[in-house]
Amino acid sequence: MLDISHIDAFHGAAQALRDVSFSAARGEIVGLMGRNGAGKTTMVRTIMGLLKPRNGSIRLDGEELTTLRPHDVPKRGVAYVPQGRRLFNGMTVEENLRMGLAVRNSGLAVLDGVLQLLPILKQRLKQRAGTLSGGEQQMLATARALCTEPSVILLDEPSEGLAPEIIGRLLDTMVALKRTGVAILLVEQRVASALKVCDRILLMENGTIRHEAPASELTADAGPLERYIGIHR
């Protein structure tokens, strides 16, 4: 389980996260939502060690992560698919995937399992990542993260700029990952997408979790979504 407890984090003198606490269990998809600037990406970057919290604890299966260097966090089982994907565009699909395997010295059996989950990439292994479509690049970024054999995967705006058909395929992939026991923290602006796949939704405002509810509850009563995101669906 990923357990976030009383996190305070700052950008210089400005406080970006205030007493943030939540958890994500294995086999659970937790959505983190809020308006632009609410602190969602800052929270993800803090989990990854890219921003050190001033107070609080981040634990994965009981192990403290805040004391680790950023490059050691993925080795403990936390994978990150950042907004914008950040692929090695000049490298092939296969080379990008092997970079993921190298994080934890994973074997080709792991790669085979990832390609079974995302079979479209099997046809693109020798193609340069920069020549893929937007949807294929998102699939590759997700696959590269999965090659690290994570127990938790953090997805930051994965549907941004994608066609509805590709978004549907991506959501199906998340559900398939959930069934394998991976915990997923999903930062997502598309309310309908989040409500479709998430078990719980955390609504963030000004660096604080203001509301937490099952996705089914927010589907029935969108009042909190209107209050903290500003849209109904």
Side-chain angles (χ1 to χ4, degrees), residues 79-154:
Y80 178 31
V81 182
Q83 189 175 15
R85 299 155 196 149
R86 299 182 192 173
L87 298 170
F88 299 104
N89 287 328
M91 297 169 62
T92 66
V93 167
E94 183 176 2
E95 288 168 339
N96 270 271
L97 294 175
R98 286 181 179 272
M99 293 294 286
L101 294 175
V103 170
R104 303 181 79 182
N105 297 316
S106 302
L108 292 180
V110 173
L111 178 58
D112 289 342
V114 170
L115 291 175
Q116 288 179 21
L117 188 64
L118 296 164
I120 190 172
L121 297 177
K122 286 184 180 180
Q123 308 162 27
R124 305 282 192 270
L125 288 176
K126 302 305 179 184
Q127 187 172 336
R128 292 191 184 277
T131 67
L132 299 175
S133 69
E136 290 167 344
Q137 288 186 359
Q138 186 62 53
M139 294 296 180
L140 175 56
T142 303
R144 184 179 61 184
L146 293 176
C147 282
T148 68
E149 300 183 86
S151 52
V152 178
I153 186 166
L154 315 177

Side-chain angles (χ1 to χ4, degrees), residues 5-219:
S5 181
H6 302 294
I7 289 293
D8 294 325
F10 289 74
H11 292 304
Q15 188 165 5
L17 299 174
R18 295 174 175 82
D19 196 30
V20 176
S21 297
F22 65 90
S23 64
R26 292 179 182 270
E28 182 181 33
I29 304 177
V30 177
L32 183 60
M33 306 185 72
R35 293 181 174 89
N36 290 336
K40 306 181 299 296
T41 295
T42 298
M43 185 68 252
V44 172
R45 287 174 55 80
T46 302
I47 294 171
M48 294 305 301
L50 299 171
L51 178 65
K52 289 296 183 182
R54 188 170 297 181
N55 299 300
S57 173
I58 300 173
R59 294 180 179 271
L60 178 61
D61 296 334
E63 180 181 6
E64 183 63 49
L65 301 183
T66 59
T67 58
L68 300 178
R69 294 170 296 181
H71 67 269
D72 287 326
V73 175
K75 295 177 183 179
R76 298 303 197 275
V78 184
Y80 178 31
V81 182
Q83 189 175 15
R85 299 155 196 149
R86 299 182 192 173
L87 298 170
F88 299 104
N89 287 328
M91 297 169 62
T92 66
V93 167
E94 183 176 2
E95 288 168 339
N96 270 271
L97 294 175
R98 286 181 179 272
M99 293 294 286
L101 294 175
V103 170
R104 303 181 79 182
N105 297 316
S106 302
L108 292 180
V110 173
L111 178 58
D112 289 342
V114 170
L115 291 175
Q116 288 179 21
L117 188 64
L118 296 164
I120 190 172
L121 297 177
K122 286 184 180 180
Q123 308 162 27
R124 305 282 192 270
L125 288 176
K126 302 305 179 184
Q127 187 172 336
R128 292 191 184 277
T131 67
L132 299 175
S133 69
E136 290 167 344
Q137 288 186 359
Q138 186 62 53
M139 294 296 180
L140 175 56
T142 303
R144 184 179 61 184
L146 293 176
C147 282
T148 68
E149 300 183 86
S151 52
V152 178
I153 186 166
L154 315 177
L155 296 166
D156 194 355
E157 302 288 359
S159 70
E160 185 177 45
L162 300 184
E165 177 185 352
I166 301 301
I167 292 172
R169 192 180 307 170
L170 183 63
L171 296 179
D172 290 343
T173 301
M174 290 183 210
V175 172
L177 282 175
K178 171 184 171 177
R179 293 191 185 117
T180 69
V182 173
I184 299 174
L185 179 63
L186 172 64
V187 176
E188 182 56 70
Q189 291 283 15
R190 294 176 182 267
V191 174
S193 296
L195 292 178
K196 183 176 180 180
V197 298
C198 290
D199 298 291
R200 289 184 291 123
I201 302 288
L202 311 172
L203 296 175
M204 179 172 266
E205 182 183 59
N206 296 327
T208 300
I209 304 296
R210 298 292 189 185
H211 189 83
E212 177 179 348
S216 58
E217 183 178 306
L218 293 175
T219 299

